[in-house]
Amino acid sequence: MIMFDSSVNRGEIGCSMKVRYNVERKGAYNGAWIKFDNLDLRQYEEFVFWVKGDENEGYTTTFKIELKSPNGQVEYVVKGVTSSWSRMVVPLNEYYYTGLGF
């Protein structure tokens, strides 16, 4: 289940995207996706976001981000998720210059 939760935010305003999942069965997986229509990422060097796990519900410490373009896709593994807010940075320039042409 994916929802936006205004009771969980890093600052005084805003909200967070909360992803609830169950992967107890062997071979199970879960994910969430956001589509940025016609967004040209060549002008950006990084994709920055904040993440934290929920101690009460449990959480993964690692997850994968996939960036897709008409020319292909790349994967970036986010590691080190804790129960405190952490700033995560995905370096876009190294993916762009490999020829994917976001």
Side-chain angles (χ1 to χ4, degrees):
M1 180 170 47
I2 300 166
M3 65 186 102
F4 289 95
D5 187 346
S6 60
S7 69
V8 179
N9 50 43
R10 197 179 70 79
E12 294 183 23
I13 60 170
C15 66
S16 59
M17 185 173 86
K18 188 173 194 173
V19 180
R20 286 189 171 164
Y21 56 90
N22 181 343
V23 292
E24 291 181 7
R25 289 185 317 180
K26 186 175 181 175
Y29 64 93
N30 199 322
W33 62 273
I34 300 172
K35 185 175 182 179
F36 299 111
D37 285 328
N38 301 315
L39 178 62
D40 185 351
L41 296 179
R42 288 178 288 188
Q43 62 185 318
Y44 302 100
E45 293 182 11
E46 302 171 331
F47 171 58
V48 179
F49 61 97
W50 290 83
V51 64
K52 79 178 196 90
D54 186 320
E55 286 183 323
N56 296 325
E57 294 190 30
Y59 59 92
T60 183
T61 60
T62 305
F63 63 92
K64 178 175 61 173
I65 293 177
E66 294 179 350
L67 301 172
K68 298 180 181 182
S69 79
N71 300 323
Q73 76 179 44
V74 294
E75 298 175 352
Y76 183 86
V77 177
V78 176
K79 298 178 182 178
V81 177
T82 69
S83 60
S84 298
W85 286 109
S86 298
R87 184 178 185 262
M88 300 293 179
V89 178
V90 178
L92 295 176
N93 55 351
E94 71 182 66
Y95 297 120
Y96 173 70
Y97 293 117
T98 60
L100 287 177
F102 290 107

